[in-house]
Amino acid sequence: MRLADVERFTLLAYDEGTFDCADLVALVQRELFGRQIQMPWHRPRGAEGQAAIGELSRPYGRRTEAPQDGDLVLMIEHGQKRPGHAGVFFYLAHEPWVLHANEKTGCSILHRVRELPDFGLRIE
């Protein structure tokens, strides 16, 4: 994947009620990979939605030791026991990255996988 293809999805404003990490994942899957992600019409948002993200993501995720561009990444926030955050994996500039959005950043952002723990996240 080229960085230019992914960069257009950075700095999209995060809004708990209208555009969260799951919305970003669905947008990237549709726009870059032609995949349609079906989310419940009245899915929970905010803290309740974060608690449900792992369950909602199960049909789209599988464990792998060799992730590829576009793979779903489920993350566990510091102090939590279950995944409550999602992103999209990319291999850019010879390094693994995750594109994600949350209230901490206020927008979508690319993080190197190795930097996620410094941000309080770990990949499930």
Side-chain angles (χ1 to χ4, degrees):
M1 181 69 52
R2 297 176 323 149
L3 180 58
D5 296 327
V6 180
E7 279 185 320
R8 69 183 175 115
F9 296 100
T10 62
L11 304 178
L12 300 176
Y14 173 88
D15 181 282
E16 182 179 280
T18 61
F19 191 80
D20 62 10
C21 63
D23 295 305
L24 176 65
V25 168
L27 175 68
V28 170
Q29 292 301 320
R30 184 177 62 249
E31 297 290 320
L32 281 183
F33 300 99
R35 301 174 186 145
Q36 293 298 318
I37 304 297
Q38 298 296 324
M39 288 194 277
W41 177 252
H42 294 291
R43 70 182 174 90
R45 296 232 178 226
E48 183 183 349
Q50 287 178 348
I53 197 79
E55 197 59 41
L56 290 171
S57 300
R58 273 192 215 295
Y60 303 103
R62 63 175 165 38
R63 290 189 185 276
T64 181
E65 295 299 319
Q68 297 184 18
D69 288 348
D71 280 356
L72 173 67
V73 177
L74 294 177
M75 293 168 275
I76 300 170
E77 296 187 56
H78 180 73
Q80 300 298 314
K81 295 181 181 180
R82 296 179 15 197
H85 187 52
V88 182
F89 177 89
F90 291 97
Y91 198 76
L92 304 165
H94 311 291
E95 195 166 5
W97 294 74
V98 174
L99 175 69
H100 64 109
N102 69 12
E103 67 278 354
K104 285 182 188 176
T105 61
C107 63
S108 56
I109 188 168
L110 273 168
H111 266 123
R112 288 177 177 92
V113 167
R114 63 182 162 88
E115 294 173 342
L116 287 172
D118 296 335
F119 192 68
L121 295 169
R122 65 182 168 89
I123 294 176
E124 179 184 40

